[in-house]
Amino acid sequence: MPVEFLGIAATHDGSETTPRSGAAFDKEYTLRLARAHEDHDWDRVLFAYGSGSPDPAPTAAYIASRLDRLQILLAHRPNVSYPTFAAKTFATLDQISEGRLTVHFITGGNDHEQGREGDTLTKDERYARTREYIRIVKKIWTTHEPFDHEGDHYRFHDFVSDVFPVQQPRPNVSFGGSSPAAYAAGGAEADVYCLWGEPLAKTAEQIETVKAAAKAAGRTDVPRIQVAFRPIIAPTEELAWEKAHRTVGAIKARKEKGEAITKRHNGQAQPQNTGSQRLIAIAEAGERYDRALWTPTAAATGGAGNSNALVGTPETVAQALLDYYDLGVDILSARGYDLLGDAIDFGRHVIPIVREEVAKRDAERAARGAQTLTAVNG
């Protein structure tokens, strides 16, 4: 199966290790970072969402209008707009990008962050709303006649859009989460199910849970699986581990100064979302797993988002990614701590190795299939 690489479309140069050097939306840097991904063989970039962050939709439109190949993963929270409005926004963006859009629906795992924009629903209520929201958006994208909707969270009458996506029948829907409610919603509605990087055994368990949720929802297919990591690479293993420890040291130093390194947990001692709780538990159980997975980066940030690292030479990190590919992961998300420099290095040194090895695996699989078919027919 083909493998894809997802990077980040940040609007400034800040990260957990370094405060940003300018405004929250740096137009030139945003384009420079996206172009670096396109020039170094990444497939798509994520336009993330935060309550006080620059709006990702016009940012994505800006990038899409200036780059020719790079695909867009647009994060969207259902609480911020009505689904009729959002569906038109997405369809317009798919037109601007000439069919390069995937939408990542975020339910929200933190009550305080959701409340910043007036969302007072409980976590389970949010998942139910997201599920209804996605179904409405899909219907708007594919329905050319006016229709009514009477649901638990949304009601409207005689609506039909006059703008439709380039992609037919519709753009893909991406979804993530590690709670039972998340698996149920994403298993039912997602084309891509997103996981944070965990040890191989736990990732395999999550993949089986997603498959079971899809089956329980009556699907005959299953979502593609995406897994996210923070790669820390260097020419030698020794240099990579030195870099890894410097990275954690920089994160801790910023925290000791009282600097906000992430807005995800909003200063809370323990995260509310299950995914972050899993990352903390994994870090408490051990620092190193499998070929290259390293948890102190997650521990230092309190399990904030994509935070487990893969540490080593490009060859080591590539082989670690291939271990996940062999589990059934075909979208690999990676984001370094020096956003621009790491995107270039990863694209130059890691992506070619993974693509070459995946091509070999696919060719061998095809050859075995042909041999089996010959044996059966012979």
Side-chain angles (χ1 to χ4, degrees):
M1 60 185 175
V3 65
E4 297 181 6
F5 288 91
L6 169 69
I8 189 71
T11 59
H12 59 75
D13 60 357
S15 74
E16 296 93 330
T17 59
T18 309
R20 72 187 191 219
S21 61
F25 182 66
D26 182 331
K27 184 177 177 181
E28 287 71 26
Y29 181 85
T30 300
L31 179 57
R32 186 182 177 193
L33 179 61
R35 181 168 285 134
H37 282 85
E38 178 164 276
D39 290 345
H40 292 87
D41 203 27
W42 295 76
D43 295 284
R44 60 172 56 83
V45 288
L46 167 66
F47 292 80
Y49 189 92
S51 60
S53 301
D55 189 343
T59 304
Y62 165 62
I63 293 302
S65 66
R66 285 159 176 78
L67 300 181
D68 298 324
R69 181 187 63 81
L70 195 65
Q71 297 177 56
I72 293 163
L73 179 59
L74 178 69
H76 180 78
R77 285 183 183 165
N79 62 292
V80 300
S81 67
Y82 217 70
T84 50
F85 175 85
K88 294 184 296 180
T89 299
F90 303 148
T92 303
L93 182 52
D94 200 52
Q95 290 283 343
I96 291 170
S97 66
E98 299 180 325
R100 287 180 278 155
L101 175 69
T102 297
V103 181
H104 180 66
F105 288 93
I106 301 174
T107 299
N110 183 281
D111 293 342
H112 183 234
E113 169 68 5
Q114 296 300 122
R116 284 172 161 166
E117 294 186 284
D119 188 5
T120 59
L121 296 186
T122 66
K123 183 177 178 180
D124 284 349
E125 288 172 338
R126 292 198 296 267
Y127 275 111
R129 177 183 61 192
T130 299
R131 195 165 177 173
E132 182 180 343
Y133 196 101
I134 292 173
R135 288 174 174 172
I136 292 169
V137 169
K138 287 179 178 178
K139 187 169 183 178
I140 292 171
W141 281 342
T142 57
T143 301
H144 292 259
E145 298 296 330
F147 68 95
D148 301 338
H149 178 82
E150 294 280 347
D152 293 331
H153 298 278
Y154 303 101
R155 297 180 181 181
F156 55 85
H157 305 285
D158 199 39
F159 180 82
V160 63
S161 178
D162 196 32
V163 57
F164 292 90
V166 170
Q167 298 176 79
Q168 293 298 314
R170 59 171 177 79
N172 281 333
V173 165
S174 172
F175 189 90
S178 298
S179 68
Y183 291 131
E189 300 298 336
D191 301 297
V192 176
Y193 202 100
C194 305
L195 304 171
W196 289 332
E198 296 187 3
L200 289 165
K202 290 187 176 294
T203 300
E205 291 172 1
Q206 286 190 293
I207 291 172
E208 291 307 311
T209 302
V210 172
K211 289 180 178 178
K215 183 177 180 180
R219 292 177 61 170
T220 57
D221 64 335
V222 296
R224 298 174 64 194
I225 301 296
Q226 172 185 306
V227 177
F229 302 97
R230 306 300 293 269
I232 300 175
I233 62 173
T236 68
E237 296 292 330
E238 182 180 6
L239 289 173
W241 285 105
E242 289 178 2
K243 182 177 178 181
H245 288 289
R246 285 199 307 273
T247 298
V248 169
I251 295 171
K252 291 180 177 179
R254 291 195 65 200
K255 289 179 67 177
E256 289 171 359
K257 293 178 182 178
E259 298 180 21
I261 61 170
T262 175
K263 298 179 180 179
R264 183 175 291 273
H265 297 151
N266 310 295
Q268 297 176 358
Q270 292 295 327
Q272 291 181 318
N273 62 304
T274 305
S276 291
Q277 292 169 5
R278 289 175 64 100
L279 294 186
I280 291 174
I282 291 167
E284 290 174 346
E287 288 194 357
R288 295 181 66 169
Y289 292 86
D290 305 318
R291 193 187 299 268
L293 190 72
W294 196 56
T295 64
T297 46
T301 61
N306 170 23
S307 51
N308 269 340
L310 292 177
V311 182
T313 64
E315 292 78 11
T316 296
V317 171
Q319 290 302 321
L321 292 170
L322 287 162
D323 291 338
Y324 287 89
Y325 175 82
D326 291 337
L327 288 181
V329 177
D330 65 340
I331 302 176
L332 300 168
S333 175
R335 171 166 57 98
Y337 292 93
D338 170 9
L339 299 180
L340 181 59
D342 287 344
I344 293 171
D345 286 346
F346 189 89
R348 283 177 175 169
H349 303 299
V350 178
I351 288 179
I353 297 174
V354 177
R355 291 201 191 279
E356 181 179 355
E357 289 300 318
V358 166
K360 289 179 181 178
R361 282 165 163 76
D362 289 348
E364 291 170 358
R365 189 179 298 112
R368 288 195 299 270
Q371 290 174 355
T372 300
L373 184 62
T374 300
V376 170
N377 294 334

